[in-house]
Structure formats: C-alpha cells, structure tokens
Amino acid sequence: MPESIRQLKSETEKAEVLRGPFDPGGQPDLSGDHPLHLSLFAWNVRSGLSATKAVLSDPARLRDFWEWPSASKLLQSAEAAGFDSQLQYGMWSGYGGDIGWNDAALDFATAPAAAAAVTSRLGLLTTFHVGYGVHPLWLAKITSATDHVAGGRLGVNIIASTNANDYAQFGIGDKPTREQKYEVADEFTTLLKYLWTSDHPIDFEGKYFQAYGAQVNPRPASSPRPLLMSAAQSDIGFDYAARQCDLMFIASNVTGGSLDEYRTKAEKIHAAAGQYGRKVRVCAMCYVVMEETDAEAEKKVRWMAEEIDREALRNHIIRTGLGPEADLEDRYLGLGKDRYTQFGLGMHGYQLFGSYDTVADKLAGLYEAGVGQVALCFFDPHRGVEQMRDHLLPRLRERGLRND
C-alpha cells in the first residue's frame, strides 16, 4: 500500500467481501412497470444480429442503422413506442465478410451517454467485457457519471470475455480458463459495487484487483446501485449471475428456440438465486421478422437465409467458439443447415418469425416459461419499432403482458 494512502487509513473503508453474493444496500427493484419488459437490442452495431447479405438491399436502413443520425431517431422512436429499455451489443471487433458484420459499433461508454441525451425515460443497459485487464475503478467512474447524467437509468451487462481475437487486441496471448474468467468477473463486480455504493474511499485487496483509497464522485443516481446483467450460459456462469447480477440473459441451444429449454433454464436460474437470498429477472435474446401473415414472413426469412454471409458467419463461429471449427469444404460450415441458418439469422436467439398474432403468441409463451424481459433485435429496426408500436403492443396488452 502506498505510504500516502497508509497515512489516510482512518478515512478509508476496508473491503471485507471479495466475492459475491454481495449487495450493499440490497438489490435494485426488479418489479418493473409491466409483466414483460421490452428492450431494443443490438441497435448500436453494424447489421445487428443479421449475418445476411440481404442487408445490402438497403444498407443505410438495414446495415448502418447504428450510425448516430439514424440511431438517435431509432432510440427516440423506441421510447415513444413504449419500449422499456435499450440494450447494447458489446463488440471490440467484428466478423467481416461482404457485409462487414459487426465491424463498427458505438461503444459501451459513448452509446449510453448519447442515448441519455436524446431520451428521457428509456432504460440504458450497456455491455462491458471484464476480462481484458481493465480495472473496475475505470468502469465505475464512467458508469457513475453516465448514470448521474441519465437520472438513474443505467444498467451494466457484465461479460466474462470469450473472444480470442479480442484478447490478442489487448496484448493477452492466452485465454484464461472458464473458471478463471468468472473468478475475475466475480471480483471485478464486487469492487464495482463497493465503488458505486460506498460513502468512503475503498481499500480492496483481491487476487486479481487491488485498490487503495478508491472512490468515484458523483456516485450513481440509481438506488441502491445500477442494475447488473449477465449473459453467462455455463453452469459456472449461472452461479456467478445468481450471486452477483439482477438480470440474466439467456439463449437457446435448440434451433429456432425451445420454450421447454427456456422454462428449464429460468427455473434453474431462479432456484440458484433463491439459494443466495436473491432475485433475478430472466431475459431472452430474440430475433424478429414480422409481416401481416405467416406466409409473408416465411418468404422474407427464406430470402434472408439464402443470402447468409458465409465468410462473416465462419469468422464468428471460429472467434467466439460457439460451434465446431469451420469446415471450409462444407456448405454449412460443419453445423448443418438448420444450425447454420440459426446463427446467420439472430445468432442463437429465439426466432420471432411470423404474423403479428404469431409473434405475440410466441412472446406470451416466453413469458409463461419464466422470461420477464425480451431483448428484441430486428432485421429492419426502424420498421420493427413501428410494427411494435402499431401491432404488437396492442396485442400484448390484450394478453395481459403490458399495463400501458
């Protein structure tokens, strides 16, 4: 410990807790205004979850909606339509291909601050990767100031980093084990919570992070702190989320999505959190293509699937480790046609394809399976928000999923 800090020891608070569960002041309120919370997802990244050259049919609308003149209008439209929050997709590097899939994005700090300036009610969930050697104080400072500016609307999605290409960008040659990644995430989150909530400077001496006399000012406007989300999918990741986070982001391993799988995962998550005396809200990632009829939606999806950017998808699968190593001799990269299409159209999200009634029924099914929040990514985001406003929100109210 530096001598200058040692001399101020009486003014600092020693962190007695280094790992979760840790909720100084309790958890944030998770009740929400509606049974089903609606988030606009992946609005901040080129092409969103669409790994298809179909986006080149109208690049400004379908690929480059993330650019600020477009994105600012999209966020304002989402707020006016009745969305509860926006959730950013976190990217350090994309996947190339003909569409430059995810190669450009608004980052975890710029996007929520800019979104706060053009909205007044919309929740601001940002995504941050904790495994690249960044200190929690750095994130605490940025998020506290952003939440202060936003009036208490910020939340943070914590990702235990997985992308080998991104580790290399930060000069880290060897990826840590899964156990190590979640040890880092756990310790990072604990110190972050201390910094968000403590009235005094913090002394923290952990295995991965140390801080002496650390503090942030202003503190977050959220009480008792900003929401925390996790997108973990492994058992060790579920345990981390159950101990430390408030929102749990899940996806399906079944092509198109399986309600039984979501129900099983939701029950598992709620039970795990309950063991620690905590609560979580389960969030499902969804990819949306809606038309007046199921046949029209099916026709559009078929066209999008025929145009999947194979090179971009190959890069995604290899870099993220979400599937077997790509087989360049195989048309479907060794995944099989169904899984290949699943990754290309929404990665591994729940596919909301169909008429307005079909999509509303699918959302109701997710809610009944234990999902309290959906993160919606649209092939055509501007049109998708309009469709939600004009067609889906009325149907969700009829099904008791919205109170407005």
Side-chain angles (χ1 to χ4, degrees):
M1 180 188 301
E3 183 61 30
S4 59
I5 296 298
R6 193 183 306 277
Q7 293 172 356
L8 298 175
K9 187 69 174 176
S10 61
E11 300 178 15
T12 64
E13 175 185 343
K14 180 176 174 57
E16 301 295 340
V17 179
L18 300 181
R19 303 283 176 86
F22 182 57
D23 288 299
Q27 285 187 260
D29 181 17
L30 297 179
S31 58
D33 297 326
H34 310 282
L36 184 62
H37 182 109
L38 302 177
S39 295
L40 177 65
F41 181 49
W43 62 270
N44 65 305
V45 61
R46 180 183 290 170
S47 298
L49 303 184
S50 303
T52 170
K53 286 179 277 189
V55 301
L56 299 180
S57 64
D58 189 346
R61 185 179 185 91
L62 304 175
R63 184 189 65 183
D64 300 328
F65 50 81
W66 65 275
E67 295 182 359
W68 189 241
S70 169
S72 61
K73 295 176 183 177
L74 181 60
L75 291 167
Q76 291 171 328
S77 296
E79 181 173 68
F83 279 76
D84 302 293
S85 65
Q86 58 83 36
L87 172 59
Q88 293 154 223
Y89 185 45
M91 290 297 301
W92 288 100
S93 62
Y95 308 111
D98 290 338
I99 64 173
W101 190 31
N102 295 172
D103 283 353
L106 297 177
D107 65 85
F108 74 94
T110 303
V118 298
T119 60
S120 60
R121 177 193 56 79
L122 200 66
L124 310 170
L125 289 165
T126 191
T127 296
F128 186 77
H129 299 78
V130 303
Y132 301 139
V134 176
H135 196 279
L137 178 61
W138 190 73
L139 182 65
K141 184 72 171 178
I142 292 173
T143 53
S144 294
T146 304
D147 196 50
H148 170 79
V149 170
R153 292 186 280 145
L154 187 71
V156 181
N157 178 25
I158 296 290
I159 304 293
S161 310
T162 60
N163 193 318
N165 189 63
D166 291 344
Y167 277 104
Q169 288 193 93
F170 282 93
I172 302 171
D174 296 323
K175 287 175 57 175
T177 65
R178 178 173 291 170
E179 290 74 16
Q180 290 170 330
K181 286 192 300 182
Y182 281 105
E183 285 182 356
V184 170
D186 199 350
E187 200 170 284
F188 186 105
T189 306
T190 302
L191 179 50
L192 180 65
K193 288 180 178 180
Y194 270 116
L195 294 168
W196 273 345
T197 61
S198 178
D199 292 326
H200 305 286
I202 293 296
D203 288 349
F204 188 96
E205 293 186 311
K207 178 179 179 180
Y208 299 98
F209 300 103
Q210 296 78 44
Y212 304 102
Q215 60 184 325
V216 296
N217 192 12
R219 296 238 304 275
S222 299
S223 179
R225 57 167 173 78
L227 288 164
L228 282 170
M229 174 181 264
S230 172
Q233 298 300 307
S234 64
D235 287 344
I236 191 171
F238 273 22
D239 183 65
Y240 157 75
R243 287 183 290 107
Q244 290 281 39
C245 298
D246 314 296
L247 311 177
M248 183 63 192
F249 197 73
I250 62 173
S252 176
N253 295 321
V254 178
T255 302
S258 162
L259 289 180
D260 286 340
E261 185 182 15
Y262 281 108
R263 183 176 293 104
T264 298
K265 286 186 176 182
E267 291 173 351
K268 181 177 180 179
I269 291 166
H270 288 304
Q275 291 179 346
Y276 297 114
R278 307 183 74 256
K279 295 181 179 180
V280 293
R281 182 199 298 154
V282 176
C283 176
M285 180 175 77
C286 302
Y287 186 68
V288 190
V289 179
M290 294 182 287
E291 296 296 340
E292 290 287 344
T293 67
D294 289 336
E296 289 176 298
E298 181 181 352
K299 180 180 179 181
K300 175 170 282 190
V301 169
R302 189 163 55 247
W303 163 61
M304 293 163 58
E306 290 170 353
E307 294 293 323
I308 284 176
D309 191 329
R310 186 175 178 276
E311 182 66 19
L313 192 55
R314 171 188 176 276
N315 292 337
H316 168 74
I317 291 167
I318 292 174
R319 292 180 186 179
T320 60
L322 291 175
E325 185 170 342
D327 178 0
L328 296 180
E329 301 302 320
D330 181 66
R331 178 180 179 182
Y332 301 115
L333 301 174
L335 299 175
K337 182 178 180 180
D338 289 345
R339 197 63 172 153
Y340 175 85
T341 303
Q342 169 87 14
F343 276 126
L345 305 184
M347 293 186 183
H348 47 297
Y350 190 73
Q351 293 178 334
L352 297 176
F353 299 163
S355 68
Y356 301 128
D357 283 329
T358 295
V359 171
D361 288 342
K362 288 184 176 182
L363 286 171
L366 281 173
Y367 178 75
E368 291 169 2
V371 173
Q373 180 171 343
V374 286
L376 305 175
C377 181
F378 301 90
F379 170 66
D380 183 344
H382 285 281
R383 181 166 181 252
V385 167
E386 293 172 357
Q387 291 173 310
M388 290 295 296
R389 179 194 65 204
D390 297 338
H391 302 287
L392 260 293
L393 267 297
R395 286 168 167 81
L396 295 180
R397 294 186 193 105
E398 291 174 358
R399 289 161 174 77
L401 301 180
R402 302 290 293 180
N403 296 325
D404 50 359

